[in-house]
Amino acid sequence: MKTSQYFLPVLKDAPSEASTASHRWMLQSGMIQSTVSGIYTWLPLGLRVLKKIKTIIRQEQNAIGAIEMLAPTLQPATLWQESGRYDDYGLEMLRVNDRHKRLLVYGPTAEEVFVDVVRRCIQSYKAFPLNLYNIQWKFRDEVRPRFGVMRGREFLMKDGYSFDLTPQASKETYCKVFRSYMRAFYRMGLSVIPLRANTGPIGGDFSHEFHVVAKTGESALYYDSVLENRTPPRFEISDFEEVYAMVDEKHLPEQCRVPAEQLKIARGIEVGHIFHFGDKYSSSMNAQVSSKNGEVVNLQMGSYGIGVSRLVGAIIEAFHDEAGPQWPLSISPFSLGIIHIQENLESKAEDLYCKVKDLGIETLWEDRPLSPGEKFALMDMLGLPFQAILSEKNQKNSQIEVKVRKTGERYCFSLDKFLEWLHLNCSEQISLPETIKT
Amino acid sequence: MKTSQYFLPVLKDAPSEASTASHRWMLQSGMIQSTVSGIYTWLPLGLRVLKKIKTIIRQEQNAIGAIEMLAPTLQPATLWQESGRYDDYGLEMLRVNDRHKRLLVYGPTAEEVFVDVVRRCIQSYKAFPLNLYNIQWKFRDEVRPRFGVMRGREFLMKDGYSFDLTPQASKETYCKVFRSYMRAFYRMGLSVIPLRANTGPIGGDFSHEFHVVAKTGESALYYDSVLENRTPPRFEISDFEEVYAMVDEKHLPEQCRVPAEQLKIARGIEVGHIFHFGDKYSSSMNAQVSSKNGEVVNLQMGSYGIGVSRLVGAIIEAFHDEAGPQWPLSISPFSLGIIHIQENLESKAEDLYCKVKDLGIETLWEDRPLSPGEKFALMDMLGLPFQAILSEKNQKNSQIEVKVRKTGERYCFSLDKFLEWLHLNCSEQISLPETIKT
């Protein structure tokens, strides 16, 4: 993509409403624009990141046999009355009367809709287990939206719902989803801590939250510091079972047996939350099936959420410096940025741009007549993992300069060597241990 | 995909609420489920079709330089008051007060939001032309939702907005989008007629509707029958300019110079609508820019919509028989269905399933123990372009039977020949004339 043909409305200065790094950089680097309090328009650059996160989540969900579908954003209030949750969400749930005065809600989550879908189709126990998910916009009418997409009102969520015949099978599904979440976060370059959590209005018997550790996190985390010494990647729930890791409300100092000097207290950003709640919804909403031996049983359920739009902010909180975000390759809007310092290098830059595109590498070429300083600052603010810099000085030696955004490392290569290096570094996505590849 | 591991809740009988073929088959073949009047949940099979349509549209939009972004579903009412359209939509526009009593609307379209995005970023005329689009859920509170997704309330729309510096440039953009629409519909296997149309509440100076001709269409179309004799594909607006083609409201018998015997009157399903409206929104909403010679000009705009979810229904209306839909390959949920008649052929079927998957061809294997009659009926109802049928009779001769869903043709092949035939037929997507490939 050439910036002259792109829509990249960056801001010169940090916007005054931004109180966190991610909020600032998402506004300033032209990823989002605030449409009204807590509701954002995703500009082209931001949408690219959002889509890449969706793709990773989708791949990991499909890999464990979860099946994608799509619930509507608006749901009938009657379903919420039936489950008994209509009042639980209070003012956070956006309620609206349609023209016939039928009450709809903008889904803050979709347990009821998924239970309704499944119960209307049940013919035999043979259809189970079922693990269904969707990635859809949700709404929670926060009293004070803040931190940009981190605590917005309209937000994109991956929410999944599992239906099993027995509590044991249901817990195994929960463990599978746990693993798929850890894998997905890992592929986004994130080091995420799973902690035991309360179930809140979703209900249920156990629950984990997934947190990115960041100073600007809204939640307090309490965990055994051995967690930090473990060799990543550890994806199985069993890897964490014996280790103390609690969110704020769940941490009871009098019950915590971790020695004080070993207890880590940190701030975290919640990016995922999973619940196992057995038959809470299937009993109230009559989602039953005759088992193999003829007994009528309530379906055993879990529900599983990832804050997709929030992750964009969380990743910036985890990876940025004073010049802008530092995108991990797997979710970066583009892999490479190209700038040419002198205007007479335009055709050289165009040639490089075409060659890199031919390799299938997503590239953004700053082809507008900006000053060198503006180009350098823009590229750092965009945060693409690699920058190729063409200057007269290096061209004399037929060299291309490369800058690695995260480390600041610089290399000089001939064109051929550069293409080889780039190809290697861009195809080398974070590799997962062979044994658990799916 | 194996059906035993899929979520494919088909219905035995035609649902009583379905009054059109597409509504019937979408419900019966497990593509959608009605959540509440005019609001649907997209089940896995339906979502696959929806996504393929999105992909084709996206590719054709990107090919003309349009840039994807994403507006929120909820918009501030203030923007609509500013453009003067707040009252135009009447009861069709869903209005909701948030917890602070600020009025939001669920976007039925997004002219205002896109104008707002662009006017807040304008720094120079050099940023133009701009052609932006998004694919997002919209809501129109139809008084009587009907025909399934064809006239639903929550629906998926691709809507795009172009911003040019001069009326001439804006009209050229309009023509480009016209062409991209014709290409997209063509790639979906559709023969679509573009007709001159009124602009309605969107406003503007000229407009085209794109219609699929179908007996169940809600609109009356009047066009010169020479249109039907033209060799497809014709993608340019100039190919249609001289030919009479009007939607109902635009057809004035006294002004129509087409001889009566040559005038075709048909029913159509509107799948796209484009508008050129100059500065209607840019003047009311102050989207101005200083041109090269210092003059302040209003941006010239067009807006362009495709009914993405409606297209799923329209394609079924165009392609079905009494047994179910007949999906064009490019948007079919799977390319091949596999059934084995006798249970002892299960391992043979699995072997075939794996081999076809290895070719990268999307395949659905009915691996559940249904009767042969049930399997045949299910496959026809799913409407996948090709079926592979394994039976003891053919296995004796080491043959696989193939059925082409649309024509009913049947062939027998050896395994190797079958894979070769399938590969050829599945990679042979509808080809576009070389000259206008992008």
Side-chain angles (χ1 to χ4, degrees), chain B residues 361-411:
Chain B
I361 293 169
E362 295 175 323
T363 306
L364 185 72
W365 171 29
E366 176 47 271
D367 66 332
R368 294 170 300 180
L370 307 180
S371 74
E374 286 172 319
K375 288 184 181 180
F376 289 133
L378 176 72
M379 273 300 154
D380 280 355
M381 179 162 74
L382 296 181
L384 312 180
F386 308 115
Q387 300 173 12
I389 302 158
L390 275 68
S391 67
E392 278 185 342
K393 189 177 135 208
N394 281 317
Q395 280 297 306
K396 273 185 207 144
N397 312 316
S398 306
Q399 297 276 294
I400 291 166
E401 189 182 341
V402 186
K403 178 177 165 183
V404 179
R405 173 68 180 88
K406 194 174 171 62
T407 60
E409 290 163 272
R410 287 166 191 268
Y411 306 102

Side-chain angles (χ1 to χ4, degrees), chain A residues 98-111:
Chain A
D98 71 11
R99 67 191 297 165
H100 299 300
K101 304 290 170 221
R102 280 171 305 204
L103 195 56
L104 301 171
V105 306
Y106 199 122
T109 171
E111 277 78 8

Side-chain angles (χ1 to χ4, degrees), chain A residues 404-418:
Chain A
V404 180
R405 172 69 179 86
K406 194 174 171 61
T407 60
E409 291 163 272
R410 288 167 188 267
Y411 307 102
C412 281
F413 293 115
S414 67
L415 175 62
D416 286 352
K417 283 279 174 211
F418 168 69

Side-chain angles (χ1 to χ4, degrees), chain A residues 201-216:
Chain A
I202 307 263
D205 47 6
F206 58 96
S207 173
H208 283 87
E209 285 183 16
F210 298 83
H211 280 260
V212 176
V213 174
K215 284 192 203 99
T216 48

Side-chain angles (χ1 to χ4, degrees), chain B residues 142-186:
Chain B
E142 298 276 350
V143 65
R144 198 165 63 88
R146 56 195 182 283
F147 312 141
V149 300
M150 303 273 280
R151 196 166 279 280
R153 296 196 290 167
E154 187 170 321
F155 60 99
L156 188 62
M157 184 160 100
K158 173 262 153 183
D159 45 323
Y161 307 88
S162 66
F163 303 83
D164 278 276
L165 294 174
T166 66
Q168 180 55 29
S170 186
K171 277 168 194 165
E172 280 163 25
T173 301
Y174 182 93
C175 294
K176 263 196 215 176
V177 177
F178 180 99
R179 185 181 71 157
S180 77
Y181 274 33
M182 292 300 287
R183 286 171 56 98
F185 296 133
Y186 183 75

Side-chain angles (χ1 to χ4, degrees), chain B residues 122-351:
Chain B
I122 295 177
Q123 293 182 337
S124 158
Y125 67 89
K126 290 177 193 161
F128 299 93
L130 263 184
N131 190 355
L132 304 170
Y133 75 98
N134 76 164
I135 303 177
Q136 179 60 293
W137 292 92
K138 304 283 187 297
F139 198 91
R140 291 185 193 165
D141 203 357
E142 298 276 350
V143 65
R144 198 165 63 88
R146 56 195 182 283
F147 312 141
V149 300
M150 303 273 280
R151 196 166 279 280
R153 296 196 290 167
E154 187 170 321
F155 60 99
L156 188 62
M157 184 160 100
K158 173 262 153 183
D159 45 323
Y161 307 88
S162 66
F163 303 83
D164 278 276
L165 294 174
T166 66
Q168 180 55 29
S170 186
K171 277 168 194 165
E172 280 163 25
T173 301
Y174 182 93
C175 294
K176 263 196 215 176
V177 177
F178 180 99
R179 185 181 71 157
S180 77
Y181 274 33
M182 292 300 287
R183 286 171 56 98
F185 296 133
Y186 183 75
R187 287 181 58 196
M188 294 169 206
L190 288 171
S191 166
V192 158
I193 295 186
L195 305 104
R196 266 157 282 175
N198 285 330
T199 53
I202 306 264
D205 47 7
F206 57 97
S207 172
H208 283 87
E209 285 183 17
F210 298 83
H211 280 261
V212 176
V213 174
K215 286 193 201 96
T216 48
E218 284 195 276
S219 317
L221 315 178
Y222 298 82
Y223 56 91
D224 191 328
S225 59
V226 298
L227 265 185
E228 289 177 341
N229 306 327
R230 294 191 157 211
T231 330
R234 304 194 72 92
F235 297 141
E236 302 290 343
I237 203 167
S238 54
D239 294 327
F240 297 92
E241 245 166 12
E242 303 298 314
V243 186
Y244 189 88
M246 300 286 178
V247 298
D248 205 356
E249 315 81 51
K250 199 89 179 168
H251 171 66
L252 300 171
E254 63 280 13
Q255 290 182 8
C256 173
R257 280 149 207 264
V258 185
E261 67 279 11
Q262 203 176 315
L263 184 69
K264 183 95 186 180
I265 305 170
R267 308 295 301 174
I269 300 167
E270 182 192 340
V271 290
H273 200 163
I274 61 178
F275 306 85
H276 183 264
F277 41 67
D279 66 357
K280 174 177 155 79
Y281 295 88
S282 56
S283 64
S284 61
M285 294 180 69
N286 289 313
Q288 285 129 1
V289 65
S290 294
S291 71
K292 205 167 181 174
N293 52 35
E295 188 193 353
V296 174
V297 296
N298 288 324
L299 288 167
Q300 296 288 317
M301 287 182 61
S303 81
Y304 316 97
I306 295 182
V308 182
S309 46
R310 169 180 277 201
L311 265 169
V312 181
I315 292 169
I316 296 180
E317 292 298 332
F319 306 113
H320 70 273
D321 61 13
E322 69 294 337
Q326 301 169 316
W327 292 112
L329 179 64
S330 61
I331 49 99
S332 182
F334 297 90
S335 301
L336 176 75
I338 298 176
I339 56 177
H340 57 289
I341 304 304
Q342 290 84 10
E343 284 310 309
N344 60 353
L345 295 175
E346 187 175 341
S347 69
K348 289 269 184 204
E350 176 141 38
D351 183 55

